[in-house]
Amino acid sequence: MLTIKDILARNHTWSEQVRRDDPDYFSRAAAAQAPEVLWIGCSDSRVGPDSLVSLPMGSIFVHRNIANIFATNDLNCLAVLEYAVDELHIPNIVVCGHYRCGGIHAAMQHSGIQPIDLWLDQVRYVYHRHTLELDHLDEEQRWRRLAELNVESQVHNIARNTIIREAWRRGQEVNIIGVIYDIHDGLLHQTGVQFSSYEEWQATQARG
Ligand SMILES: [Zn+2]
Protein backbone atom coordinates (compact mmCIF):
# COMPACT_ATOMS: atom_id res chain seq x y z
CA MET A 1 0.00 0.00 0.00
CA LEU A 2 1.18 3.50 -0.82
CA THR A 3 2.00 5.44 2.36
CA ILE A 4 2.63 9.15 2.96
CA LYS A 5 6.33 8.27 3.27
CA ASP A 6 6.26 6.87 -0.26
CA ILE A 7 4.40 9.91 -1.53
CA LEU A 8 6.95 12.32 0.00
CA ALA A 9 9.86 10.27 -1.32
CA ARG A 10 8.39 10.32 -4.82
CA ASN A 11 7.89 14.07 -4.53
CA HIS A 12 11.56 14.59 -3.59
CA THR A 13 12.71 12.50 -6.53
CA TRP A 14 10.42 14.42 -8.89
CA SER A 15 11.57 17.82 -7.58
CA GLU A 16 15.23 16.88 -8.06
CA GLN A 17 14.53 15.57 -11.56
CA VAL A 18 12.74 18.80 -12.57
CA ARG A 19 15.63 20.94 -11.22
CA ARG A 20 18.13 18.82 -13.14
CA ASP A 21 16.18 19.11 -16.40
CA ASP A 22 15.23 22.79 -16.05
CA PRO A 23 17.07 24.67 -13.26
CA ASP A 24 14.79 27.75 -13.57
CA TYR A 25 11.51 25.85 -13.57
CA PHE A 26 10.47 26.57 -9.99
CA SER A 27 11.46 30.26 -10.03
CA ARG A 28 9.37 30.70 -13.20
CA ALA A 29 6.46 28.77 -11.69
CA ALA A 30 6.58 30.84 -8.50
CA ALA A 31 6.43 34.11 -10.46
CA ALA A 32 3.13 33.55 -12.28
CA GLN A 33 0.90 31.11 -14.12
CA ALA A 34 -0.18 31.61 -17.71
CA PRO A 35 -2.18 28.51 -18.63
CA GLU A 36 -3.81 28.34 -22.07
CA VAL A 37 -6.34 25.66 -21.24
CA LEU A 38 -9.10 25.37 -18.64
CA TRP A 39 -9.75 21.66 -18.28
CA ILE A 40 -13.03 20.43 -16.87
CA GLY A 41 -12.60 16.71 -16.35
CA CYS A 42 -13.65 13.73 -14.27
CA SER A 43 -12.09 13.00 -10.87
CA ASP A 44 -11.31 9.46 -12.08
CA SER A 45 -7.66 8.61 -11.24
CA ARG A 46 -7.01 7.37 -14.79
CA VAL A 47 -7.67 10.66 -16.56
CA GLY A 48 -5.19 13.22 -15.16
CA PRO A 49 -4.98 15.98 -17.79
CA ASP A 50 -1.28 16.98 -17.54
CA SER A 51 -0.18 13.43 -18.32
CA LEU A 52 -2.59 12.61 -21.08
CA VAL A 53 -1.85 15.68 -23.17
CA SER A 54 1.82 15.65 -22.16
CA LEU A 55 2.03 19.32 -21.21
CA PRO A 56 4.24 20.65 -18.41
CA MET A 57 2.69 21.87 -15.16
CA GLY A 58 1.61 25.47 -15.56
CA SER A 59 -0.14 24.77 -18.88
CA ILE A 60 -3.58 23.68 -17.66
CA PHE A 61 -5.96 25.24 -15.14
CA VAL A 62 -7.97 22.31 -13.83
CA HIS A 63 -11.40 21.66 -12.41
CA ARG A 64 -12.38 18.06 -11.83
CA ASN A 65 -15.43 16.41 -10.33
CA ILE A 66 -17.33 13.16 -10.73
CA ALA A 67 -18.54 12.86 -14.34
CA ASN A 68 -17.00 16.19 -15.49
CA ILE A 69 -20.11 18.25 -14.85
CA PHE A 70 -20.28 22.01 -15.21
CA ALA A 71 -23.07 22.66 -12.73
CA THR A 72 -24.55 26.10 -13.25
CA ASN A 73 -25.64 26.30 -9.59
CA ASP A 74 -22.28 25.18 -8.17
CA LEU A 75 -20.15 28.02 -6.75
CA ASN A 76 -17.00 25.96 -7.20
CA CYS A 77 -17.57 25.54 -10.95
CA LEU A 78 -18.57 29.17 -11.36
CA ALA A 79 -15.59 30.52 -9.42
CA VAL A 80 -13.19 28.42 -11.50
CA LEU A 81 -14.77 29.65 -14.73
CA GLU A 82 -14.78 33.27 -13.60
CA TYR A 83 -11.13 33.17 -12.55
CA ALA A 84 -10.05 31.31 -15.68
CA VAL A 85 -11.82 33.68 -18.07
CA ASP A 86 -11.82 37.06 -16.31
CA GLU A 87 -8.43 36.93 -14.56
CA LEU A 88 -6.27 34.43 -16.45
CA HIS A 89 -7.86 35.12 -19.89
CA ILE A 90 -7.58 31.47 -20.83
CA PRO A 91 -8.62 31.06 -24.48
CA ASN A 92 -9.49 27.33 -24.49
CA ILE A 93 -12.00 25.57 -22.27
CA VAL A 94 -11.91 21.81 -22.71
CA VAL A 95 -14.65 19.62 -21.27
CA CYS A 96 -13.23 16.11 -21.17
CA GLY A 97 -15.40 13.08 -20.57
CA HIS A 98 -14.19 9.51 -20.74
CA TYR A 99 -15.46 6.07 -21.62
CA ARG A 100 -16.08 3.61 -18.78
CA CYS A 101 -16.83 6.53 -16.43
CA GLY A 102 -18.14 5.20 -13.11
CA GLY A 103 -20.22 8.34 -12.59
CA ILE A 104 -21.96 7.93 -15.94
CA HIS A 105 -22.59 4.25 -15.20
CA ALA A 106 -24.04 5.04 -11.77
CA ALA A 107 -26.34 7.64 -13.33
CA MET A 108 -27.72 4.92 -15.64
CA GLN A 109 -28.36 2.49 -12.80
CA HIS A 110 -30.17 4.10 -9.93
CA SER A 111 -31.08 7.24 -8.09
CA GLY A 112 -31.19 8.09 -4.40
CA ILE A 113 -30.67 10.83 -1.85
CA GLN A 114 -26.97 10.50 -1.06
CA PRO A 115 -24.73 13.37 -2.23
CA ILE A 116 -23.39 11.38 -5.17
CA ASP A 117 -26.92 10.51 -6.31
CA LEU A 118 -27.96 14.15 -6.17
CA TRP A 119 -24.82 15.20 -8.04
CA LEU A 120 -25.41 12.60 -10.75
CA ASP A 121 -29.01 13.69 -11.23
CA GLN A 122 -27.47 16.21 -13.62
CA VAL A 123 -26.36 13.32 -15.84
CA ARG A 124 -29.81 11.74 -15.49
CA TYR A 125 -31.34 14.91 -16.93
CA VAL A 126 -29.03 14.48 -19.93
CA TYR A 127 -30.22 10.87 -20.23
CA HIS A 128 -33.87 11.89 -20.12
CA ARG A 129 -33.35 14.47 -22.86
CA HIS A 130 -31.97 11.70 -25.12
CA THR A 131 -34.08 8.74 -24.05
CA LEU A 132 -35.24 8.00 -27.60
CA GLU A 133 -31.67 7.54 -28.84
CA LEU A 134 -30.24 5.87 -25.75
CA ASP A 135 -32.98 3.32 -25.15
CA HIS A 136 -32.21 1.68 -28.51
CA LEU A 137 -28.63 0.90 -27.52
CA ASP A 138 -27.25 -2.03 -25.55
CA GLU A 139 -25.81 -1.21 -22.13
CA GLU A 140 -22.18 -0.84 -23.23
CA GLN A 141 -23.10 1.43 -26.16
CA ARG A 142 -25.47 3.43 -23.96
CA TRP A 143 -22.68 3.94 -21.41
CA ARG A 144 -20.37 5.27 -24.11
CA ARG A 145 -22.99 7.45 -25.77
CA LEU A 146 -24.20 8.97 -22.50
CA ALA A 147 -20.58 9.96 -21.70
CA GLU A 148 -20.45 11.79 -25.07
CA LEU A 149 -23.87 13.43 -24.64
CA ASN A 150 -22.90 14.51 -21.13
CA VAL A 151 -19.80 16.28 -22.49
CA GLU A 152 -21.93 18.08 -25.07
CA SER A 153 -24.42 19.12 -22.43
CA GLN A 154 -21.67 20.56 -20.21
CA VAL A 155 -20.23 22.49 -23.19
CA HIS A 156 -23.69 24.05 -23.64
CA ASN A 157 -23.92 24.84 -19.91
CA ILE A 158 -20.64 26.75 -20.15
CA ALA A 159 -21.53 28.52 -23.41
CA ARG A 160 -24.78 29.88 -22.02
CA ASN A 161 -23.14 31.15 -18.84
CA THR A 162 -23.01 34.92 -18.30
CA ILE A 163 -19.23 34.84 -17.69
CA ILE A 164 -18.69 33.46 -21.20
CA ARG A 165 -21.30 35.60 -22.88
CA GLU A 166 -19.76 38.74 -21.38
CA ALA A 167 -16.28 37.63 -22.49
CA TRP A 168 -17.51 37.05 -26.06
CA ARG A 169 -19.37 40.38 -26.01
CA ARG A 170 -16.16 42.28 -25.22
CA GLY A 171 -14.29 40.40 -27.97
CA GLN A 172 -12.23 38.06 -25.79
CA GLU A 173 -11.18 34.79 -27.40
CA VAL A 174 -12.87 31.84 -25.69
CA ASN A 175 -13.20 28.46 -27.40
CA ILE A 176 -15.28 25.82 -25.63
CA ILE A 177 -14.49 22.35 -26.86
CA GLY A 178 -15.92 18.94 -26.01
CA VAL A 179 -13.59 15.93 -26.03
CA ILE A 180 -13.81 12.35 -24.90
CA TYR A 181 -10.94 10.25 -23.64
CA ASP A 182 -10.82 6.61 -24.66
CA ILE A 183 -9.47 4.78 -21.68
CA HIS A 184 -8.77 1.70 -23.87
CA ASP A 185 -6.06 3.36 -25.99
CA GLY A 186 -5.28 6.69 -24.30
CA LEU A 187 -6.58 8.79 -27.21
CA LEU A 188 -8.67 11.95 -27.05
CA HIS A 189 -11.41 12.56 -29.63
CA GLN A 190 -13.46 15.68 -30.26
CA THR A 191 -17.18 15.15 -29.74
CA GLY A 192 -17.97 17.63 -32.50
CA VAL A 193 -19.40 20.26 -30.18
CA GLN A 194 -17.34 23.44 -30.12
CA PHE A 195 -18.24 27.10 -29.75
CA SER A 196 -16.10 30.19 -30.24
CA SER A 197 -18.79 32.87 -30.25
CA TYR A 198 -22.28 33.56 -28.98
CA GLU A 199 -23.60 33.43 -32.55
CA GLU A 200 -22.21 29.92 -33.05
CA TRP A 201 -23.84 28.74 -29.86
CA GLN A 202 -27.13 30.50 -30.57
CA ALA A 203 -27.36 28.89 -34.03
CA THR A 204 -27.51 25.45 -32.38
CA GLN A 205 -30.31 26.67 -30.10
CA ALA A 206 -32.38 27.84 -33.06
CA ARG A 207 -32.05 24.39 -34.66
CA GLY A 208 -32.87 22.58 -31.44
ZN1 LIG B 1 -15.40 9.44 -14.77
Side-chain angles (χ1 to χ4, degrees):
M1 195 187 79
L2 199 65
T3 66
I4 186 63
K5 250 177 99 176
D6 302 325
I7 292 169
L8 292 175
R10 294 180 79 90
N11 166 253
H12 278 252
T13 308
W14 169 78
S15 171
E16 281 165 15
Q17 182 69 50
V18 171
R19 278 170 225 261
R20 256 199 313 275
D21 294 348
D22 181 357
D24 296 329
Y25 174 80
F26 288 111
S27 47
R28 278 201 319 275
Q33 63 168 334
E36 293 188 50
V37 178
L38 164 61
W39 186 276
I40 296 175
C42 183
S43 299
D44 191 304
S45 62
R46 300 164 294 179
V47 297
D50 300 86
S51 303
L52 66 87
V53 293
S54 193
L55 279 169
M57 285 211 298
S59 308
I60 308 180
F61 195 64
V62 180
H63 178 76
R64 292 170 73 180
N65 59 50
I66 294 175
N68 44 270
I69 293 167
F70 183 85
T72 51
N73 60 353
D74 178 36
L75 267 183
N76 190 353
C77 284
L78 294 169
V80 166
L81 186 69
E82 181 186 354
Y83 192 73
V85 172
D86 291 351
E87 301 297 327
L88 296 172
H89 302 112
I90 294 176
N92 299 302
I93 301 175
V94 173
V95 178
C96 179
H98 68 102
Y99 295 130
R100 303 200 73 76
C101 178
I104 299 291
H105 196 254
M108 288 164 52
Q109 303 301 313
H110 57 82
S111 188
I113 56 162
Q114 296 303 314
I116 192 157
D117 298 316
L118 300 175
W119 180 252
L120 291 175
D121 271 345
Q122 297 166 103
V123 180
R124 287 187 196 97
Y125 295 141
V126 177
Y127 191 112
H128 289 310
R129 280 206 301 278
H130 297 89
T131 308
L132 272 180
E133 177 187 352
L134 291 167
D135 281 354
H136 283 95
L137 304 175
D138 67 33
E139 187 176 335
E140 186 71 28
Q141 289 174 320
R142 204 181 315 144
W143 191 5
R144 288 173 66 89
R145 185 65 185 135
L146 184 55
E148 295 167 356
L149 291 169
N150 180 53
V151 167
E152 294 180 5
S153 178
Q154 307 315 322
V155 168
H156 280 277
N157 282 347
I158 295 167
R160 75 167 134 255
N161 190 276
T162 315
I163 296 161
I164 297 298
R165 287 165 73 153
E166 282 299 308
W168 278 337
R169 196 182 52 76
R170 60 181 179 257
Q172 187 175 330
E173 182 183 0
V174 184
N175 309 298
I176 313 164
I177 306 140
V179 301
I180 191 115
Y181 175 69
D182 195 336
I183 216 151
H184 300 93
D185 59 14
L187 294 175
L188 284 173
H189 303 276
Q190 287 193 249
T191 61
V193 175
Q194 176 172 342
F195 303 116
S196 298
S197 69
Y198 178 71
E199 289 69 29
E200 275 182 24
W201 175 74
Q202 206 185 28
T204 65
Q205 301 306 294
R207 282 205 302 273

